[in-house]
Amino acid sequence: MKIFNLVVSLSFLFITTCFAQFTDEINSNRPGKSMMAFAVGKTIVQTEFGINYNSENHDVLGYKANGIIGELALRYGVWKEELEVIGEIQYQKDNYTSPFLNEKRSGIKQLTLGAKYLVYDPFKNYEEKPNLYSWKANHRFKWRQFIPAVAGYAGVNFGVGDNPFDYAPDSIENPSFSPKATLIAQNHFGSRWVLVTNITYDKIGTDFASINYILTLTRGFNEKWSGFIENQGYNGDYYSDGIFRIGAAFLFDKFMQIDASIGKSLKSTPEIIYGGIGFSWRFDDLYVPVKIEKDNGSKMDKKMKKKADKEKKQQQKRLDQFE
C-alpha cells in the first residue's frame, strides 16, 4: 500500500466519482503489511516484490537467526471493479545458531491464495459540491471522513514441504491448508492522510490459529513521495507479539513504485529486527474504463422534473391544436 496516488489522486477520483476505482497511477499495498480496501481494477495485473534482511535473537532459548526473506504478491482484478484475486508467497533462507546447533534453514514460509471484495465505498454516488462563496466552508472539518471504505478478504494458507520457521513444538504438525479471513477498513482524512485497518483470523480451525491486526497510517508529502508508520499485532497460542514499522515509497512513474522500510518487535522472545526494499509494477493495457452513473438529484428533484416535462408536453400539444 502506500503510495502518494492512494492519498491524493485516488482520493480525488473517489470524490468526483466520474469513474470507478481505477486510477491513473499504481496503488500498491507496499511497503506496509496491511491490505487496502480498494482493488486494482478489472483486468489489471499488478506484482509487488520485496526482499528483507531479517535478524532474530531469543533471550530465553538462546538462539540467533540471520538471513533474508523474499516476498511476492500477484494481484489481478476480475469480473468487477471491486473484486481482485491475490496470490502471496514468502521464501526465507537464514543461518540458525544455538548452544547445541548450527544449521542453515530454507523453505517457503507462507503461501496464500485468496480474493478481496469491496463491500462499501462511502464516496460512491457521492459528490461534494464546492461552496463558491466561502473558503472556510470548503476547508471545514468533515465528519464523513470517519466513514470508512469496507472490504472483506477470504483465502487459504497452503503448507508446502517442511516449514522450519513456525514457533510450535515439533510434536505438532503444520497443517497442509487452513482458512484465513480479514476485515478491512480504509479512511481518508483530508487529501494527504490515509488510515488502513486490518483484522485477521488466520489459520482458522488449527492449532496455529491466531487473531491479528494491522494499523497503517500513510501520509503523502508530494506527487512522488509518501511515508508510513505501522503497528502489527499477533495473538496466538504459540506466538504473540507486536511489531512497529516505518518506511517510505517513491513513485517512479505511473506504473512503478520503489519502497524501503524497517521494523522491530516489542518482545525479546524473540527480538526481531529487519529492513528491506521493494518494487511494485502494474500492467493495465487491457483495462477498459467503467463509468459510474452520477446521481442526478434527490427523488423529489426527479419527480418535479418529470412533472415539469409532462406539463411542457401538454402545453406544446395545446399550441399545436390552435395552429
Side-chain angles (χ1 to χ4, degrees), residues 11 62 107 127 169 197 206 251 268 276 281 321:
S11 298
E127 182 175 1
T197 304
T206 72
L251 187 63
S268 59
W281 174 81
Q321 290 176 350

Side-chain angles (χ1 to χ4, degrees), residues 293-304:
E293 294 182 2
K294 288 186 177 182
D295 187 357
N296 293 322
S298 65
K299 291 183 178 179
M300 181 60 70
D301 292 337
K302 294 177 181 178
K303 186 176 180 180
M304 295 299 292

Side-chain angles (χ1 to χ4, degrees), residues 46-297:
Q46 188 161 303
T47 179
E48 301 169 7
F49 172 77
I51 187 166
N52 304 301
Y53 176 78
N54 192 68
S55 175
E56 291 187 30
N57 187 0
H58 202 295
D59 287 347
V60 177
L61 299 180
Y63 76 78
K64 293 183 179 180
N66 299 283
I68 60 171
I69 299 177
E71 303 172 328
L72 176 65
L74 295 175
R75 303 168 60 188
Y76 179 63
V78 296
W79 184 42
K80 301 176 67 176
E81 290 289 300
E82 296 83 3
L83 179 65
E84 71 175 20
V85 294
I86 308 167
E88 299 173 282
I89 186 171
Q90 284 187 359
Y91 178 83
Q92 182 168 339
K93 184 176 183 180
D94 63 19
N95 186 45
Y96 177 92
T97 60
S98 70
F100 308 103
L101 186 64
N102 188 344
E103 66 174 347
K104 294 185 181 298
R105 306 183 301 179
S106 63
I108 295 177
K109 187 175 184 178
Q110 176 187 336
L111 178 61
T112 307
L113 179 64
K116 180 183 68 180
Y117 186 79
L118 179 66
V119 178
Y120 174 70
D121 178 0
F123 298 102
K124 188 175 182 179
N125 297 327
Y126 169 76
E127 182 175 1
E128 184 178 344
K129 297 180 180 179
N131 190 324
L132 302 178
Y133 304 99
S134 174
W135 181 92
K136 184 178 180 180
N138 290 326
H139 292 81
R140 73 182 187 278
F141 180 82
K142 300 176 179 63
W143 287 102
R144 191 178 184 86
Q145 296 175 123
F146 288 94
I147 304 175
V150 179
Y153 169 87
V156 177
N157 302 297
F158 296 94
V160 181
D162 183 27
N163 183 356
F165 304 110
D166 61 64
Y167 296 97
D170 294 336
S171 58
I172 299 179
E173 184 179 357
N174 203 12
S176 57
F177 68 92
S178 59
K180 177 180 180 179
T182 301
L183 177 66
I184 305 166
Q186 181 171 330
N187 294 87
H188 293 249
F189 299 108
S191 61
R192 290 181 177 268
W193 294 92
V194 172
L195 175 66
V196 175
T197 304
N198 288 183
I199 300 176
T200 300
Y201 190 13
D202 199 8
K203 298 186 177 179
I204 301 169
T206 72
D207 293 323
F208 295 82
S210 65
I211 298 177
N212 314 322
Y213 72 87
I214 308 177
L215 297 172
T216 307
L217 183 63
T218 303
R219 188 184 191 280
F221 300 115
N222 54 43
E223 292 184 355
K224 294 293 184 179
W225 286 97
S226 66
F228 85 100
I229 182 170
E230 182 173 87
N231 173 225
Q232 182 172 13
Y234 300 90
N235 185 18
D237 291 338
Y238 296 105
Y239 180 66
S240 295
D241 202 351
I243 297 177
F244 279 93
R245 302 183 184 90
I246 59 172
F250 177 76
L251 187 63
F252 190 79
D253 61 29
K254 68 178 184 177
F255 300 112
M256 292 185 289
Q257 171 196 296
I258 56 176
D259 62 73
S261 63
I262 57 175
K264 185 182 184 304
S265 66
L266 297 178
K267 296 172 60 177
S268 59
T269 53
E271 180 185 47
I272 302 174
I273 301 174
Y274 79 91
I277 57 174
F279 172 80
S280 301
W281 174 81
R282 182 182 75 170
F283 177 79
D284 64 0
D285 287 358
L286 300 178
Y287 181 76
V288 177
V290 179
K291 288 195 175 184
I292 296 177
E293 294 182 2
K294 288 186 177 182
D295 187 357
N296 293 322

